[in-house]
Amino acid sequence: MGELRWIDRARVLAPIAACGRGAAADALALKLSSWPADRLAKLSGVSVFAPERAVFVLAQSEDDLPWVDGIQYLGKDPHAPQLLLPTAERPDIHLSLFERAITRVARTPGLIAVLAPPARSIIPLRAALPLSSKKLRDFIEGNS
Amino acid sequence: MSTEPLKAAALALRQAITSAGHGLVQRESLVELIALSAVAGEHLLVVGPPGTAKSEAVRRVARALGGKYFEYLLGRFTEPSEIFGPVDLRKLKDGIVETETSGMLPEAEIAFLDEVFLGSTAILNTLLGLLNERTFRRGHTRIEVPLRLCVGATNTLPDDDALAAFSDRFLTRIFLEPLPDPELEDLLAGGWSLLREPPAAPASIADLDLLSRAARTANVEAVRTELAHAIRVLRKNGVTLTDRRAVKVQRLIAAAALLGGRTTPTTADLWPLVYAVPDPDAQTLARDVLREVLAASENSALAAAAAEASLGPLARASRIVSRGKEILATKPPVEDPPGVEAWKLRLEGVAREIDAGFSEKTITDELRNLRAEVVRWVS
């Protein structure tokens, strides 16, 4: 079986999450660490250190999401409600089948973020916690 | 038919559309489609969440046309008498079941039915005849209704197959989203002006009727080959139009031509085909696969609807570019740090909309250039 192809979405998803990888992860954490507490309270997040440093931020509304150059936005497709997928691209396969395959691999309940190539990552977001400036600074300094 | 009265009627409708759209932010397509559907004599279904100006747009077009207007929010327990009128009790004493329709839907020229699919079977069955045949039948009452246009609204399309026949009566479909972040200031300004401005009535139902009659007799044969080709392209890409829709879309095309100042439709008038596609994802796909077919689309009276139908993602990009340039042009002075901060937040909203809405393959050069300039200010 060949590699899974990703195609442009006919209808883009509304973003409800953002992901920064590598240098963008540090830039995202730095930006968020300067936000006031009431603005941060609207977000939850997960940090990852392998296979590469990454920060995932989830929001209830698109308006609450940060912008930093280089981050990606993720959203929910009604055909795969357990997944957070890139807003402008999708795998070239029926999404409910894709969701089933991903959940089988991830073996975890809750939301799962899926990043398109070149990242090709599957990140469970069940452990997402409310953000705080301290946690963000700890991430920047390399403390998990 | 002499063209002067037609030109005058088309001009009046154009002014009505402009007047009705004033103050409604990013709802130009909706207002234009209401007018297009009215001229075509076909009904419009608006799908979108609450608070997206659906009823306000219809009300304003009705006022701009000076037509008798009826509006109702349907619910699961709405009684038929609330829509069609109560039973005439005097006649009931004589054993005759007649409906007193004064001020109710059967006497309306333009109607708006919110949450239209929530109506009971009794209501929807009666509505079916009213929408399809312009005839109201209930008990001993049977009357021809003056309805020119019914706009139905719903939060989401119904899943129930039993509603398919009723749903299919709405030939034109538009799917609305709430306004994106960078346009919120315009929404607030526009909404405020709506609360203050008295409505104008630059056109009349007589103008509408004149255009409708002309639309019914327009020579659509001139574009039939291109239309058939477009429908084949849709079918080849998995977008199915029922035969009924394929035939009726010709009315929308004829109406678009008249409103665009043409008595005979041309390839510039094929774009309403997109709005006859009943599903939102299929409409987006239709815009993409028909890009070449609809490349000649143009309509001076219905510019927003024509542009959105024919460009799809390009229309979205074009709108973001236009919006982004407006924001960039309004940079506050450095002596106003809070103003600069707020301005930068608006720019971040634009950057977010670009990054979330386009991939490396779909981003246009103009959008890429805008992004570069925005990033310069907010990074």
Side-chain angles (χ1 to χ4, degrees), chain A residues 6-8 10-13 15 31 39 62-71 73 79 87-89, chain B residues 175 177 181 184 280-281 284-285 288 316 345 348 351-352 355-359 361-362 371 375 378-379:
Chain A
W6 284 71
I7 57 178
D8 297 321
R11 200 171 159 87
V12 299
L13 301 176
K31 176 152 192 165
R39 211 172 158 197
E62 175 181 353
D63 300 343
D64 297 326
L65 284 172
W67 178 84
V68 165
D69 197 6
I71 65 176
Y73 290 96
H79 295 107
T87 48
E89 297 176 278
Chain B
F175 300 91
E177 303 286 344
D181 198 27
L184 287 174
D281 288 340
T284 307
L285 182 56
D288 273 343
R316 197 157 38 91
L345 273 176
E348 281 191 3
R352 187 173 58 230
D355 288 355
F358 297 85
S359 69
K361 282 179 277 170
T362 58
R371 187 185 184 281
V375 166
V378 298
S379 281

Side-chain angles (χ1 to χ4, degrees), chain A residues 117-137:
Chain A
R120 287 196 190 87
S121 298
I122 300 169
I123 312 289
L125 298 177
R126 191 183 178 205
L129 293 171
L131 292 182
S132 70
S133 295
K134 182 182 180 311
K135 285 177 191 165
L136 291 160
R137 283 194 300 273

